[in-house]
Amino acid sequence: MNQFLNMCQRVLAALVLICLASVPLHAQQAGEAPVVESAAQSSYLPARKQVYDIVIMGDVLGTGLWAGMNRFVETEDRVTVTGRIQENSGLARPKLYNWAKAADNLLESRPFDIAAIMLGANDARDINSPDGFLRFGTDEWRKAYAEQINSLLSALKKHKVAIYWIGVPPMRRKSYDTAMKVVAEVERQVMAERGVRYIDLRLLLADSDDGY
């Protein structure tokens, strides 16, 4: 857990550097979180400002990300961090909690410059569709899950927010970790298609066997 929290702080460090110094994301320093490049990012970052407002949206893992970020900005008055956390939520059960609608409502009430998203920990489950349940990991499930991700991204892009999607880290239990790889694969693909930055925690946190 300490390793994960330390990584959360390093993720924020990269975001803060981008905001305050307009550092190109591909010019990473040693120890920064690896970022998967996507298309159409030449005008990705918001205009340079005195203060940048960051919102963290996430599930139970997002709680750790938010905590780490709050600690990091305690002495930084040019960045604010707000959290929108629903620990038991995800994208596979929009009837339980609709992240696209929640994001739209939040950004209607308050503008943000950057949204850092960390979702997926609770999504290793079948999706209840109008045509019945879609079994986790099947092609039909992947398509439906990608549609939920796209709905959230569209809601964020509507408000011209710079989006950073933080992938799920490796998990200790092998079966759960295998499921999270499926979730991450779909997320990564959608981010590449939509031109959204994807921060891959697995690249830094996984061991030599790509495990916990």
Side-chain angles (χ1 to χ4, degrees):
M1 179 58 72
N2 287 336
Q3 184 185 23
F4 173 67
L5 291 177
N6 289 337
M7 179 56 62
C8 289
Q9 292 184 355
R10 287 158 69 181
V11 168
L12 178 64
L15 297 183
V16 171
L17 283 174
I18 292 164
C19 292
L20 304 184
S22 297
V23 175
L25 202 55
H26 61 269
Q28 293 176 358
Q29 302 298 319
E32 286 184 5
V35 179
V36 175
E37 294 289 341
S38 322
Q41 294 176 334
S42 59
S43 60
Y44 185 79
L45 298 177
R48 188 154 186 166
K49 299 173 58 179
Q50 292 296 316
V51 178
Y52 288 86
D53 297 312
I54 302 175
V55 60
I56 312 300
M57 299 182 184
D59 50 32
V60 62
L61 292 181
T63 302
L65 180 65
W66 185 24
M69 289 187 169
N70 272 323
R71 290 172 59 185
F72 187 87
V73 300
E74 284 179 351
T75 59
E76 180 52 72
D77 59 6
R78 291 175 293 173
V79 176
T80 70
V81 177
T82 299
R84 182 62 177 266
I85 306 297
Q86 292 290 329
E87 292 191 353
N88 295 322
S89 71
L91 295 170
R93 293 185 294 174
K95 291 183 179 180
L96 178 66
Y97 190 82
N98 189 316
W99 270 105
K101 183 177 181 180
D104 189 30
N105 290 339
L106 176 63
L107 295 171
E108 284 284 357
S109 63
R110 176 184 173 183
F112 287 93
D113 302 300
I114 293 174
I117 314 298
M118 194 170 195
L119 289 166
N122 301 317
D123 288 336
R125 63 178 70 248
D126 297 347
I127 292 178
N128 187 4
S129 76
D131 298 324
F133 281 93
L134 306 177
R135 188 172 181 179
F136 174 75
T138 61
D139 289 344
E140 294 78 11
W141 183 94
R142 289 169 182 262
K143 181 179 178 180
Y145 192 63
E147 289 174 355
Q148 291 301 319
I149 297 173
N150 273 307
S151 293
L152 174 54
L153 294 180
S154 294
L156 295 169
K157 284 176 174 284
K158 169 186 171 183
H159 296 277
K160 303 186 185 305
V161 178
I163 309 165
Y164 291 82
W165 195 286
I166 297 103
V168 291
M171 300 298 177
R172 184 185 301 274
R173 183 159 51 89
K174 187 173 182 179
S175 59
Y176 185 35
D177 188 53
T178 298
M180 289 299 98
K181 288 180 181 179
V182 173
V183 170
E185 183 180 340
V186 179
E187 292 179 343
R188 189 183 301 108
Q189 180 178 351
V190 174
M191 298 312 128
E193 292 171 351
R194 295 293 299 272
V196 172
R197 304 280 188 176
Y198 181 82
I199 301 176
D200 196 340
L201 295 186
R202 177 172 289 275
L203 292 181
L204 280 180
L205 296 179
D207 59 22
S208 58
D209 296 322
D210 195 34
Y212 182 85

mmCIF file of all heavy atoms in Angstrom, residues 2-14 25 28-36 118 166-171 177 184 188 198-212:
data_model
loop_
_atom_site.group_PDB
_atom_site.id
_atom_site.type_symbol
_atom_site.label_atom_id
_atom_site.label_comp_id
_atom_site.label_asym_id
_atom_site.label_seq_id
_atom_site.Cartn_x
_atom_site.Cartn_y
_atom_site.Cartn_z
ATOM 1 N N ASN A 2 1.954 1.259 0.791
ATOM 2 C CA ASN A 2 2.840 2.409 0.801
ATOM 3 C C ASN A 2 3.433 2.646 -0.580
ATOM 4 O O ASN A 2 3.611 3.785 -1.014
ATOM 5 C CB ASN A 2 3.959 2.216 1.828
ATOM 6 C CG ASN A 2 3.451 2.356 3.255
ATOM 7 O OD1 ASN A 2 2.435 3.000 3.492
ATOM 8 N ND2 ASN A 2 4.146 1.762 4.197
ATOM 9 N N GLN A 3 3.766 1.547 -1.267
ATOM 10 C CA GLN A 3 4.302 1.664 -2.614
ATOM 11 C C GLN A 3 3.279 2.319 -3.533
ATOM 12 O O GLN A 3 3.618 3.179 -4.351
ATOM 13 C CB GLN A 3 4.688 0.288 -3.144
ATOM 14 C CG GLN A 3 5.357 0.325 -4.523
ATOM 15 C CD GLN A 3 5.610 -1.064 -5.082
ATOM 16 O OE1 GLN A 3 4.951 -2.019 -4.688
ATOM 17 N NE2 GLN A 3 6.559 -1.169 -5.993
ATOM 18 N N PHE A 4 2.014 1.930 -3.389
ATOM 19 C CA PHE A 4 0.962 2.504 -4.218
ATOM 20 C C PHE A 4 0.777 3.984 -3.913
ATOM 21 O O PHE A 4 0.647 4.816 -4.818
ATOM 22 C CB PHE A 4 -0.345 1.743 -3.989
ATOM 23 C CG PHE A 4 -1.528 2.361 -4.686
ATOM 24 C CD1 PHE A 4 -1.603 2.380 -6.069
ATOM 25 C CD2 PHE A 4 -2.549 2.923 -3.948
ATOM 26 C CE1 PHE A 4 -2.688 2.952 -6.711
ATOM 27 C CE2 PHE A 4 -3.638 3.501 -4.580
ATOM 28 C CZ PHE A 4 -3.704 3.510 -5.963
ATOM 29 N N LEU A 5 0.769 4.365 -2.631
ATOM 30 C CA LEU A 5 0.605 5.765 -2.264
ATOM 31 C C LEU A 5 1.771 6.602 -2.763
ATOM 32 O O LEU A 5 1.585 7.734 -3.229
ATOM 33 C CB LEU A 5 0.460 5.900 -0.738
ATOM 34 C CG LEU A 5 -0.836 5.357 -0.141
ATOM 35 C CD1 LEU A 5 -0.819 5.476 1.374
ATOM 36 C CD2 LEU A 5 -2.046 6.092 -0.709
ATOM 37 N N ASN A 6 2.977 6.050 -2.668
ATOM 38 C CA ASN A 6 4.132 6.776 -3.190
ATOM 39 C C ASN A 6 3.989 6.998 -4.688
ATOM 40 O O ASN A 6 4.335 8.053 -5.212
ATOM 41 C CB ASN A 6 5.418 6.009 -2.897
ATOM 42 C CG ASN A 6 5.794 6.038 -1.424
ATOM 43 O OD1 ASN A 6 5.375 6.944 -0.698
ATOM 44 N ND2 ASN A 6 6.558 5.065 -0.982
ATOM 45 N N MET A 7 3.471 5.979 -5.389
ATOM 46 C CA MET A 7 3.267 6.117 -6.817
ATOM 47 C C MET A 7 2.217 7.177 -7.118
ATOM 48 O O MET A 7 2.352 7.955 -8.062
ATOM 49 C CB MET A 7 2.847 4.776 -7.429
ATOM 50 C CG MET A 7 2.596 4.837 -8.930
ATOM 51 S SD MET A 7 4.013 5.463 -9.835
ATOM 52 C CE MET A 7 5.217 4.201 -9.429
ATOM 53 N N CYS A 8 1.168 7.249 -6.295
ATOM 54 C CA CYS A 8 0.138 8.270 -6.482
ATOM 55 C C CYS A 8 0.754 9.659 -6.399
ATOM 56 O O CYS A 8 0.420 10.560 -7.180
ATOM 57 C CB CYS A 8 -0.966 8.120 -5.431
ATOM 58 S SG CYS A 8 -2.023 6.677 -5.659
ATOM 59 N N GLN A 9 1.645 9.859 -5.444
ATOM 60 C CA GLN A 9 2.293 11.155 -5.304
ATOM 61 C C GLN A 9 3.159 11.459 -6.520
ATOM 62 O O GLN A 9 3.241 12.598 -6.972
ATOM 63 C CB GLN A 9 3.123 11.188 -4.025
ATOM 64 C CG GLN A 9 2.268 11.163 -2.761
ATOM 65 C CD GLN A 9 3.093 11.304 -1.498
ATOM 66 O OE1 GLN A 9 4.310 11.340 -1.538
ATOM 67 N NE2 GLN A 9 2.426 11.387 -0.371
ATOM 68 N N ARG A 10 3.794 10.448 -7.082
ATOM 69 C CA ARG A 10 4.624 10.657 -8.256
ATOM 70 C C ARG A 10 3.772 10.990 -9.478
ATOM 71 O O ARG A 10 4.171 11.777 -10.335
ATOM 72 C CB ARG A 10 5.492 9.422 -8.510
ATOM 73 C CG ARG A 10 6.610 9.285 -7.503
ATOM 74 C CD ARG A 10 7.121 7.866 -7.400
ATOM 75 N NE ARG A 10 7.823 7.433 -8.592
ATOM 76 C CZ ARG A 10 8.344 6.208 -8.725
ATOM 77 N NH1 ARG A 10 8.221 5.325 -7.744
ATOM 78 N NH2 ARG A 10 8.976 5.879 -9.826
ATOM 79 N N VAL A 11 2.572 10.394 -9.544
ATOM 80 C CA VAL A 11 1.650 10.729 -10.622
ATOM 81 C C VAL A 11 1.284 12.201 -10.539
ATOM 82 O O VAL A 11 1.301 12.936 -11.538
ATOM 83 C CB VAL A 11 0.378 9.858 -10.553
ATOM 84 C CG1 VAL A 11 -0.697 10.401 -11.494
ATOM 85 C CG2 VAL A 11 0.705 8.414 -10.908
ATOM 86 N N LEU A 12 0.945 12.673 -9.342
ATOM 87 C CA LEU A 12 0.587 14.077 -9.178
ATOM 88 C C LEU A 12 1.772 14.973 -9.499
ATOM 89 O O LEU A 12 1.618 16.034 -10.098
ATOM 90 C CB LEU A 12 0.103 14.357 -7.763
ATOM 91 C CG LEU A 12 -0.251 15.834 -7.529
ATOM 92 C CD1 LEU A 12 -1.425 16.254 -8.388
ATOM 93 C CD2 LEU A 12 -0.537 16.109 -6.077
ATOM 94 N N ALA A 13 2.963 14.551 -9.081
ATOM 95 C CA ALA A 13 4.154 15.350 -9.356
ATOM 96 C C ALA A 13 4.279 15.611 -10.847
ATOM 97 O O ALA A 13 4.595 16.723 -11.281
ATOM 98 C CB ALA A 13 5.396 14.643 -8.831
ATOM 99 N N ALA A 14 4.016 14.569 -11.660
ATOM 100 C CA ALA A 14 4.087 14.732 -13.114
ATOM 101 C C ALA A 14 3.031 15.721 -13.597
ATOM 102 O O ALA A 14 3.304 16.593 -14.428
ATOM 103 C CB ALA A 14 3.911 13.382 -13.800
ATOM 104 N N LEU A 25 5.053 16.110 -21.893
ATOM 105 C CA LEU A 25 4.924 14.871 -21.143
ATOM 106 C C LEU A 25 5.882 13.799 -21.623
ATOM 107 O O LEU A 25 6.259 12.913 -20.878
ATOM 108 C CB LEU A 25 3.488 14.356 -21.241
ATOM 109 C CG LEU A 25 3.060 13.413 -20.126
ATOM 110 C CD1 LEU A 25 3.295 14.063 -18.776
ATOM 111 C CD2 LEU A 25 1.597 13.060 -20.275
ATOM 112 N N GLN A 28 10.112 12.738 -19.947
ATOM 113 C CA GLN A 28 9.987 12.259 -18.578
ATOM 114 C C GLN A 28 11.341 12.202 -17.898
ATOM 115 O O GLN A 28 12.359 11.928 -18.515
ATOM 116 C CB GLN A 28 9.367 10.866 -18.551
ATOM 117 C CG GLN A 28 7.928 10.846 -19.016
ATOM 118 C CD GLN A 28 7.414 9.438 -19.045
ATOM 119 O OE1 GLN A 28 8.122 8.494 -18.753
ATOM 120 N NE2 GLN A 28 6.171 9.284 -19.412
ATOM 121 N N GLN A 29 11.323 12.485 -16.600
ATOM 122 C CA GLN A 29 12.507 12.331 -15.787
ATOM 123 C C GLN A 29 12.489 10.943 -15.155
ATOM 124 O O GLN A 29 11.462 10.283 -15.072
ATOM 125 C CB GLN A 29 12.542 13.413 -14.697
ATOM 126 C CG GLN A 29 12.504 14.834 -15.248
ATOM 127 C CD GLN A 29 13.702 15.147 -16.120
ATOM 128 O OE1 GLN A 29 14.822 14.756 -15.781
ATOM 129 N NE2 GLN A 29 13.477 15.813 -17.243
ATOM 130 N N ALA A 30 13.628 10.509 -14.676
ATOM 131 C CA ALA A 30 13.720 9.197 -14.044
ATOM 132 C C ALA A 30 12.780 9.117 -12.863
ATOM 133 O O ALA A 30 12.744 10.008 -12.022
ATOM 134 C CB ALA A 30 15.157 8.947 -13.583
ATOM 135 N N GLY A 31 11.991 8.059 -12.787
ATOM 136 C CA GLY A 31 11.101 7.852 -11.653
ATOM 137 C C GLY A 31 9.697 8.360 -11.867
ATOM 138 O O GLY A 31 8.822 8.128 -11.058
ATOM 139 N N GLU A 32 9.448 9.111 -12.963
ATOM 140 C CA GLU A 32 8.102 9.585 -13.207
ATOM 141 C C GLU A 32 7.234 8.444 -13.725
ATOM 142 O O GLU A 32 7.714 7.470 -14.276
ATOM 143 C CB GLU A 32 8.109 10.722 -14.234
ATOM 144 C CG GLU A 32 8.640 12.027 -13.664
ATOM 145 C CD GLU A 32 8.542 13.158 -14.667
ATOM 146 O OE1 GLU A 32 7.962 12.920 -15.755
ATOM 147 O OE2 GLU A 32 9.035 14.249 -14.369
ATOM 148 N N ALA A 33 5.928 8.613 -13.559
ATOM 149 C CA ALA A 33 5.001 7.590 -14.026
ATOM 150 C C ALA A 33 5.035 7.515 -15.542
ATOM 151 O O ALA A 33 4.987 8.536 -16.216
ATOM 152 C CB ALA A 33 3.589 7.918 -13.551
ATOM 153 N N PRO A 34 5.117 6.305 -16.121
ATOM 154 C CA PRO A 34 5.147 6.172 -17.573
ATOM 155 C C PRO A 34 3.800 6.500 -18.173
ATOM 156 O O PRO A 34 2.764 6.157 -17.625
ATOM 157 C CB PRO A 34 5.495 4.697 -17.784
ATOM 158 C CG PRO A 34 4.976 4.025 -16.559
ATOM 159 C CD PRO A 34 5.160 5.018 -15.433
ATOM 160 N N VAL A 35 3.824 7.187 -19.291
ATOM 161 C CA VAL A 35 2.591 7.601 -19.933
ATOM 162 C C VAL A 35 2.557 7.059 -21.346
ATOM 163 O O VAL A 35 3.525 7.166 -22.091
ATOM 164 C CB VAL A 35 2.479 9.137 -19.962
ATOM 165 C CG1 VAL A 35 1.199 9.568 -20.664
ATOM 166 C CG2 VAL A 35 2.563 9.699 -18.556
ATOM 167 N N VAL A 36 1.449 6.445 -21.707
ATOM 168 C CA VAL A 36 1.265 5.940 -23.055
ATOM 169 C C VAL A 36 0.794 7.091 -23.930
ATOM 170 O O VAL A 36 -0.227 7.721 -23.654
ATOM 171 C CB VAL A 36 0.229 4.798 -23.089
ATOM 172 C CG1 VAL A 36 -0.032 4.365 -24.517
ATOM 173 C CG2 VAL A 36 0.717 3.630 -22.243
ATOM 174 N N MET A 118 -9.347 7.313 -12.095
ATOM 175 C CA MET A 118 -8.848 5.995 -11.729
ATOM 176 C C MET A 118 -10.036 5.095 -11.409
ATOM 177 O O MET A 118 -10.576 5.109 -10.305
ATOM 178 C CB MET A 118 -7.896 6.071 -10.534
ATOM 179 C CG MET A 118 -7.100 4.790 -10.320
ATOM 180 S SD MET A 118 -5.782 5.001 -9.111
ATOM 181 C CE MET A 118 -4.807 3.516 -9.446
ATOM 182 N N ILE A 166 -5.544 7.019 -15.140
ATOM 183 C CA ILE A 166 -4.526 6.241 -14.436
ATOM 184 C C ILE A 166 -4.967 4.784 -14.395
ATOM 185 O O ILE A 166 -6.036 4.454 -13.877
ATOM 186 C CB ILE A 166 -4.294 6.772 -13.008
ATOM 187 C CG1 ILE A 166 -3.750 8.204 -13.067
ATOM 188 C CG2 ILE A 166 -3.324 5.891 -12.246
ATOM 189 C CD1 ILE A 166 -4.725 9.276 -12.778
ATOM 190 N N GLY A 167 -4.162 3.906 -14.976
ATOM 191 C CA GLY A 167 -4.507 2.495 -15.045
ATOM 192 C C GLY A 167 -4.436 1.802 -13.695
ATOM 193 O O GLY A 167 -3.731 2.261 -12.785
ATOM 194 N N VAL A 168 -5.156 0.713 -13.567
ATOM 195 C CA VAL A 168 -5.136 -0.034 -12.305
ATOM 196 C C VAL A 168 -3.757 -0.671 -12.108
ATOM 197 O O VAL A 168 -3.142 -1.145 -13.072
ATOM 198 C CB VAL A 168 -6.239 -1.120 -12.276
ATOM 199 C CG1 VAL A 168 -7.610 -0.490 -12.197
ATOM 200 C CG2 VAL A 168 -6.138 -2.023 -13.499
ATOM 201 N N PRO A 169 -3.264 -0.688 -10.882
ATOM 202 C CA PRO A 169 -1.952 -1.288 -10.607
ATOM 203 C C PRO A 169 -2.052 -2.803 -10.539
ATOM 204 O O PRO A 169 -3.159 -3.357 -10.523
ATOM 205 C CB PRO A 169 -1.602 -0.701 -9.232
ATOM 206 C CG PRO A 169 -2.934 -0.510 -8.575
ATOM 207 C CD PRO A 169 -3.874 -0.105 -9.678
ATOM 208 N N PRO A 170 -0.937 -3.509 -10.501
ATOM 209 C CA PRO A 170 -0.980 -4.972 -10.339
ATOM 210 C C PRO A 170 -1.566 -5.348 -8.987
ATOM 211 O O PRO A 170 -1.394 -4.619 -7.996
ATOM 212 C CB PRO A 170 0.498 -5.379 -10.448
ATOM 213 C CG PRO A 170 1.270 -4.146 -10.155
ATOM 214 C CD PRO A 170 0.438 -3.004 -10.642
ATOM 215 N N MET A 171 -2.266 -6.466 -8.929
ATOM 216 C CA MET A 171 -2.931 -6.924 -7.720
ATOM 217 C C MET A 171 -2.259 -8.189 -7.188
ATOM 218 O O MET A 171 -1.696 -8.977 -7.958
ATOM 219 C CB MET A 171 -4.406 -7.198 -8.014
ATOM 220 C CG MET A 171 -5.160 -5.985 -8.516
ATOM 221 S SD MET A 171 -5.193 -4.655 -7.283
ATOM 222 C CE MET A 171 -6.045 -3.357 -8.197
ATOM 223 N N ASP A 177 -5.743 -10.112 -10.469
ATOM 224 C CA ASP A 177 -4.784 -9.405 -11.310
ATOM 225 C C ASP A 177 -5.027 -9.709 -12.793
ATOM 226 O O ASP A 177 -4.961 -8.809 -13.639
ATOM 227 C CB ASP A 177 -3.357 -9.802 -10.921
ATOM 228 C CG ASP A 177 -2.307 -8.956 -11.614
ATOM 229 O OD1 ASP A 177 -2.399 -7.712 -11.528
ATOM 230 O OD2 ASP A 177 -1.405 -9.534 -12.248
ATOM 231 N N ALA A 184 -7.688 -3.139 -17.908
ATOM 232 C CA ALA A 184 -6.671 -2.184 -18.345
ATOM 233 C C ALA A 184 -6.495 -2.203 -19.863
ATOM 234 O O ALA A 184 -6.266 -1.162 -20.481
ATOM 235 C CB ALA A 184 -5.350 -2.482 -17.650
ATOM 236 N N ARG A 188 -6.873 1.132 -21.980
ATOM 237 C CA ARG A 188 -5.726 1.625 -22.753
ATOM 238 C C ARG A 188 -6.096 1.813 -24.229
ATOM 239 O O ARG A 188 -5.710 2.794 -24.856
ATOM 240 C CB ARG A 188 -4.564 0.646 -22.618
ATOM 241 C CG ARG A 188 -3.254 1.173 -23.200
ATOM 242 C CD ARG A 188 -2.157 0.136 -23.117
ATOM 243 N NE ARG A 188 -1.888 -0.282 -21.741
ATOM 244 C CZ ARG A 188 -2.216 -1.468 -21.234
ATOM 245 N NH1 ARG A 188 -2.816 -2.374 -21.990
ATOM 246 N NH2 ARG A 188 -1.932 -1.769 -19.986
ATOM 247 N N TYR A 198 -2.773 8.111 -20.951
ATOM 248 C CA TYR A 198 -2.965 6.933 -20.104
ATOM 249 C C TYR A 198 -1.691 6.706 -19.302
ATOM 250 O O TYR A 198 -0.621 6.483 -19.862
ATOM 251 C CB TYR A 198 -3.282 5.713 -20.961
ATOM 252 C CG TYR A 198 -3.517 4.442 -20.174
ATOM 253 C CD1 TYR A 198 -4.751 4.169 -19.601
ATOM 254 C CD2 TYR A 198 -2.488 3.514 -20.000
ATOM 255 C CE1 TYR A 198 -4.969 3.007 -18.888
ATOM 256 C CE2 TYR A 198 -2.698 2.343 -19.280
ATOM 257 C CZ TYR A 198 -3.949 2.107 -18.725
ATOM 258 O OH TYR A 198 -4.156 0.953 -18.000
ATOM 259 N N ILE A 199 -1.793 6.784 -17.987
ATOM 260 C CA ILE A 199 -0.653 6.591 -17.099
ATOM 261 C C ILE A 199 -0.672 5.144 -16.619
ATOM 262 O O ILE A 199 -1.577 4.733 -15.897
ATOM 263 C CB ILE A 199 -0.702 7.567 -15.910
ATOM 264 C CG1 ILE A 199 -0.700 9.011 -16.420
ATOM 265 C CG2 ILE A 199 0.478 7.341 -14.969
ATOM 266 C CD1 ILE A 199 -0.834 10.059 -15.337
ATOM 267 N N ASP A 200 0.316 4.381 -17.036
ATOM 268 C CA ASP A 200 0.340 2.940 -16.800
ATOM 269 C C ASP A 200 1.136 2.621 -15.535
ATOM 270 O O ASP A 200 2.362 2.539 -15.562
ATOM 271 C CB ASP A 200 0.955 2.243 -18.008
ATOM 272 C CG ASP A 200 0.663 0.746 -18.020
ATOM 273 O OD1 ASP A 200 0.344 0.206 -16.944
ATOM 274 O OD2 ASP A 200 0.754 0.132 -19.091
ATOM 275 N N LEU A 201 0.419 2.417 -14.428
ATOM 276 C CA LEU A 201 1.081 2.101 -13.161
ATOM 277 C C LEU A 201 1.714 0.718 -13.184
ATOM 278 O O LEU A 201 2.688 0.462 -12.468
ATOM 279 C CB LEU A 201 0.082 2.193 -12.005
ATOM 280 C CG LEU A 201 -0.495 3.574 -11.708
ATOM 281 C CD1 LEU A 201 -1.342 3.522 -10.441
ATOM 282 C CD2 LEU A 201 0.597 4.616 -11.564
ATOM 283 N N ARG A 202 1.167 -0.178 -13.979
ATOM 284 C CA ARG A 202 1.712 -1.535 -14.014
ATOM 285 C C ARG A 202 3.172 -1.542 -14.461
ATOM 286 O O ARG A 202 3.970 -2.350 -13.990
ATOM 287 C CB ARG A 202 0.868 -2.420 -14.939
ATOM 288 C CG ARG A 202 1.388 -3.843 -15.101
ATOM 289 C CD ARG A 202 0.414 -4.704 -15.861
ATOM 290 N NE ARG A 202 -0.762 -4.996 -15.075
ATOM 291 C CZ ARG A 202 -0.848 -5.994 -14.191
ATOM 292 N NH1 ARG A 202 0.184 -6.798 -13.991
ATOM 293 N NH2 ARG A 202 -1.950 -6.207 -13.522
ATOM 294 N N LEU A 203 3.521 -0.636 -15.350
ATOM 295 C CA LEU A 203 4.890 -0.600 -15.851
ATOM 296 C C LEU A 203 5.898 -0.319 -14.744
ATOM 297 O O LEU A 203 7.043 -0.754 -14.810
ATOM 298 C CB LEU A 203 5.022 0.455 -16.957
ATOM 299 C CG LEU A 203 4.293 0.168 -18.265
ATOM 300 C CD1 LEU A 203 4.536 1.287 -19.264
ATOM 301 C CD2 LEU A 203 4.726 -1.170 -18.852
ATOM 302 N N LEU A 204 5.465 0.413 -13.713
ATOM 303 C CA LEU A 204 6.374 0.734 -12.613
ATOM 304 C C LEU A 204 6.215 -0.175 -11.408
ATOM 305 O O LEU A 204 7.175 -0.429 -10.687
ATOM 306 C CB LEU A 204 6.176 2.189 -12.171
ATOM 307 C CG LEU A 204 6.864 3.257 -13.033
ATOM 308 C CD1 LEU A 204 6.572 4.636 -12.480
ATOM 309 C CD2 LEU A 204 8.369 3.024 -13.064
ATOM 310 N N LEU A 205 4.992 -0.669 -11.171
ATOM 311 C CA LEU A 205 4.729 -1.420 -9.947
ATOM 312 C C LEU A 205 4.847 -2.922 -10.101
ATOM 313 O O LEU A 205 5.009 -3.638 -9.107
ATOM 314 C CB LEU A 205 3.338 -1.080 -9.414
ATOM 315 C CG LEU A 205 3.136 0.378 -8.962
ATOM 316 C CD1 LEU A 205 1.694 0.570 -8.486
ATOM 317 C CD2 LEU A 205 4.106 0.748 -7.866
ATOM 318 N N ALA A 206 4.723 -3.431 -11.328
ATOM 319 C CA ALA A 206 4.766 -4.891 -11.517
ATOM 320 C C ALA A 206 6.203 -5.405 -11.342
ATOM 321 O O ALA A 206 7.175 -4.692 -11.590
ATOM 322 C CB ALA A 206 4.239 -5.255 -12.904
ATOM 323 N N ASP A 207 6.306 -6.668 -10.898
ATOM 324 C CA ASP A 207 7.623 -7.279 -10.760
ATOM 325 C C ASP A 207 8.094 -7.802 -12.105
ATOM 326 O O ASP A 207 7.471 -7.586 -13.140
ATOM 327 C CB ASP A 207 7.601 -8.397 -9.700
ATOM 328 C CG ASP A 207 6.603 -9.507 -10.041
ATOM 329 O OD1 ASP A 207 6.256 -9.652 -11.228
ATOM 330 O OD2 ASP A 207 6.201 -10.237 -9.110
ATOM 331 N N SER A 208 9.204 -8.525 -12.104
ATOM 332 C CA SER A 208 9.785 -9.008 -13.355
ATOM 333 C C SER A 208 8.895 -10.002 -14.084
ATOM 334 O O SER A 208 9.056 -10.231 -15.287
ATOM 335 C CB SER A 208 11.156 -9.638 -13.094
ATOM 336 O OG SER A 208 11.034 -10.718 -12.159
ATOM 337 N N ASP A 209 7.950 -10.613 -13.356
ATOM 338 C CA ASP A 209 7.009 -11.561 -13.961
ATOM 339 C C ASP A 209 5.673 -10.911 -14.281
ATOM 340 O O ASP A 209 4.675 -11.610 -14.507
ATOM 341 C CB ASP A 209 6.797 -12.752 -13.032
ATOM 342 C CG ASP A 209 8.064 -13.566 -12.825
ATOM 343 O OD1 ASP A 209 8.818 -13.707 -13.818
ATOM 344 O OD2 ASP A 209 8.310 -14.021 -11.695
ATOM 345 N N ASP A 210 5.633 -9.551 -14.263
ATOM 346 C CA ASP A 210 4.415 -8.800 -14.530
ATOM 347 C C ASP A 210 3.343 -9.088 -13.492
ATOM 348 O O ASP A 210 2.157 -9.069 -13.766
ATOM 349 C CB ASP A 210 3.873 -9.094 -15.925
ATOM 350 C CG ASP A 210 2.826 -8.061 -16.358
ATOM 351 O OD1 ASP A 210 2.954 -6.882 -15.976
ATOM 352 O OD2 ASP A 210 1.857 -8.438 -17.065
ATOM 353 N N GLY A 211 3.766 -9.342 -12.250
ATOM 354 C CA GLY A 211 2.837 -9.593 -11.152
ATOM 355 C C GLY A 211 2.995 -8.553 -10.061
ATOM 356 O O GLY A 211 3.688 -7.554 -10.211
ATOM 357 N N TYR A 212 2.352 -8.832 -8.923
ATOM 358 C CA TYR A 212 2.341 -7.893 -7.801
ATOM 359 C C TYR A 212 3.709 -7.809 -7.150
ATOM 360 O O TYR A 212 4.352 -8.824 -6.914
ATOM 361 C CB TYR A 212 1.294 -8.379 -6.784
ATOM 362 C CG TYR A 212 1.132 -7.462 -5.588
ATOM 363 C CD1 TYR A 212 0.288 -6.376 -5.650
ATOM 364 C CD2 TYR A 212 1.828 -7.710 -4.414
ATOM 365 C CE1 TYR A 212 0.127 -5.541 -4.556
ATOM 366 C CE2 TYR A 212 1.675 -6.884 -3.316
ATOM 367 C CZ TYR A 212 0.827 -5.798 -3.385
ATOM 368 O OH TYR A 212 0.671 -4.961 -2.315
#
